[in-house]
Amino acid sequence: MSYSVLSALAALTLSEEPPLDIYKLEPHTGGPQSGNNKDCHGMDTPQSWWDELKKRGINAGTIEHMEQKEVPTMMEWYKSLNVDSWPENWKKQWGDPKKVCNWQEAGMSGPVWNGLDCLINPYSPPPPKSSGGHVRDIRIPSGLLTGTLPEGFKYFVGLNHFMVAKNKMTGTFPDTGMWVSMQVFDISQNEFSGTLPDNFLTSPCTQTINIAHNKFEGTIPKSLHSRTVLFSLKLDNNQFSGTIPDFHDMPYLRELDLSNNKLSGTLPVSLTKLTTLRWLKLHQNQFSGPIPAEIDSLAELSILSVRGNDEMDEMVPDSVSNLALRVFNGTSKMKCSSDTLLRYVPESTSCGGRSVGAGQGTWLPEFDSYKG
């Protein structure tokens, strides 16, 4: 079947499918949400989820789906890009619909060598019985991407990794409400914009979400309020507004970065229930009120930053001294019940700690994107 016919078939159904409401489906069978310690991955997605996708014309995990929906989208994307700076072997593969998802035929030495990994096994049945065939990973290094993503990306339901940080991608992000296998999602340091829907990236096995340094606005979507296997959530340096939502059921969350947005209101006590947090970065917003006295519930917290929220209460709660903080970055007005309350904090803007930037291995605002 020709590429033009495949493109037409893919476009024909773009507007015909009702949205997938993942919250109304039966529970996922992997990870903590299943009530066991099993690792979470796409293979644990219940059969009913794949049935719901099939009702929408998505035969996920089949070679036909990859050829009719995913490959045409990749070709549309490639044709919209300026690929002058791309390696020649990348151009040869991405520019040929017969080779874009076949690294062996293209002469590559292994998956993701050209920024793309496709799982192709004609003898493997589709999920949940096996992995089937689909585009699995997209990892494009910095400086190689410009422009927008085609709407056809909504069909990449088996995608595990989408990593396109430090490029110049623009426009709104395509619908991710049917992505059920995503694990690592990093689109940081681009120029994506617009609001994010409440079904944004609802895949239950996502471990890392980094959309920092873009131009997203509106409220933080509902889908990010409760993520049972998420380790890192970075929404910093956007234009999100409204209040901090009630984050809950996030037993593995280590990093939460909401800094440099337009968020307002008081800091909810629910933040102190994220007991595995190590980094809590809330600086440069419009918050008011106190740091919750229950903050010492975060026994593993290493960095607490609220600078630039000048309407917050001046008094730092004594409970902050119970934390083994490496950095406390308060507002310019904050003070403590004792001038030496934070004397054991290596870097602190308040109450007896060494000034931020004074210590070896310092943490500074310009290192907010540090991935360590």
Side-chain angles (χ1 to χ4, degrees):
M1 188 177 293
S2 69
Y3 166 70
S4 60
V5 173
L6 292 176
S7 299
L9 285 172
L12 184 62
T13 55
L14 274 174
S15 60
E16 295 177 357
E17 297 135 11
L20 183 70
D21 189 346
I22 202 169
Y23 301 106
K24 294 182 179 179
L25 302 178
E26 66 177 293
H28 199 267
T29 58
Q33 67 267 39
S34 65
N36 58 50
N37 294 320
K38 190 177 180 181
D39 289 341
C40 187
H41 53 75
M43 292 293 293
D44 294 316
T45 306
Q47 177 66 55
S48 61
W49 290 31
W50 304 107
D51 293 341
E52 287 296 322
L53 289 172
K54 196 168 185 178
K55 291 177 184 178
R56 291 157 176 79
I58 299 178
N59 293 312
T62 65
I63 300 298
E64 291 76 18
H65 172 76
M66 185 168 63
E67 291 179 344
Q68 295 176 10
K69 298 290 180 70
E70 296 178 342
V71 169
T73 299
M74 297 300 297
M75 294 303 301
E76 179 185 351
W77 189 27
Y78 176 79
K79 289 186 175 182
S80 72
L81 297 171
N82 181 353
V83 297
D84 291 345
S85 60
W86 282 35
E88 287 301 318
N89 56 348
W90 285 41
K91 295 179 188 179
K92 290 178 181 178
Q93 183 168 356
W94 282 66
D96 187 339
K98 294 181 180 180
K99 295 182 178 181
V100 67
C101 257
N102 192 337
W103 60 268
Q104 289 176 319
E105 183 179 343
M108 301 294 115
S109 60
V112 200
W113 182 259
N114 66 331
L116 181 69
D117 174 22
C118 298
L119 185 64
I120 303 175
N121 185 348
Y123 304 106
S124 177
K129 294 181 179 180
S130 188
S131 52
H134 55 266
V135 176
R136 183 165 53 182
D137 292 344
I138 296 176
R139 310 184 194 194
I140 310 295
S142 60
L144 295 183
L145 296 175
T146 58
T148 60
L149 287 172
E151 285 299 313
F153 264 92
K154 66 187 290 185
Y155 294 117
F156 284 53
V157 297
L159 201 58
N160 295 163
H161 296 79
F162 189 75
M163 304 167 68
V164 295
K166 298 182 181 179
N167 281 287
K168 295 181 179 180
M169 300 298 296
T170 59
T172 58
F173 202 86
D175 180 15
T176 60
M178 293 186 290
W179 290 11
V180 298
S181 300
M182 180 56 58
Q183 295 180 358
V184 178
F185 184 81
D186 187 353
I187 60 170
S188 60
Q189 300 187 58
N190 277 279
E191 298 177 20
F192 289 111
S193 59
T195 59
L196 297 176
D198 278 340
N199 69 342
F200 173 72
L201 211 63
T202 52
S203 175
C205 295
T206 309
Q207 300 172 13
T208 298
I209 297 176
N210 188 352
I211 62 174
H213 293 271
N214 280 283
K215 299 177 181 179
F216 292 116
E217 56 187 1
T219 57
I220 297 173
K222 177 183 175 182
S223 59
L224 301 184
H225 298 186
S226 174
R227 304 304 294 262
T228 55
V229 299
L230 194 65
F231 283 82
S232 176
L233 179 59
K234 296 183 179 181
L235 311 182
D236 56 286
N237 289 277
N238 281 283
Q239 299 174 31
F240 288 113
S241 57
T243 58
I244 295 180
D246 177 20
F247 290 115
H248 61 281
D249 294 331
M250 304 174 90
Y252 298 110
L253 191 66
R254 300 292 190 267
E255 302 174 357
L256 178 60
D257 194 343
L258 307 178
S259 63
N260 288 286
N261 279 287
K262 298 180 179 179
L263 298 167
S264 58
T266 59
L267 305 188
V269 175
S270 59
L271 282 177
T272 67
K273 299 184 185 302
L274 304 175
T275 55
T276 56
L277 272 184
R278 295 178 181 173
W279 290 11
L280 179 57
K281 298 183 180 181
L282 306 172
H283 51 269
Q284 297 302 134
N285 278 285
Q286 301 166 17
F287 296 124
S288 58
I291 296 174
E294 299 87 347
I295 193 71
D296 58 354
S297 299
L298 306 180
E300 299 184 37
L301 197 64
S302 173
I303 294 175
L304 175 60
S305 180
V306 295
R307 68 174 168 82
N309 295 290
D310 293 332
E311 297 303 313
M312 290 188 68
D313 289 3
E314 294 182 7
M315 289 300 297
V316 176
D318 290 352
S319 55
V320 171
S321 66
N322 297 328
L323 297 169
L325 290 177
R326 181 165 62 90
V327 174
F328 176 76
N329 205 6
T331 72
S332 58
K333 300 178 182 179
M334 282 185 167
K335 54 188 178 181
C336 303
S337 60
S338 166
D339 289 340
T340 59
L341 185 73
L342 302 182
R343 62 188 181 279
Y344 296 117
V345 178
E347 300 182 47
S348 173
T349 56
S350 308
C351 313
R354 297 176 64 186
S355 61
V356 171
Q360 187 175 7
T362 186
W363 175 85
L364 290 172
E366 54 263 41
F367 293 117
D368 281 355
S369 59
Y370 172 67
K371 302 284 195 299

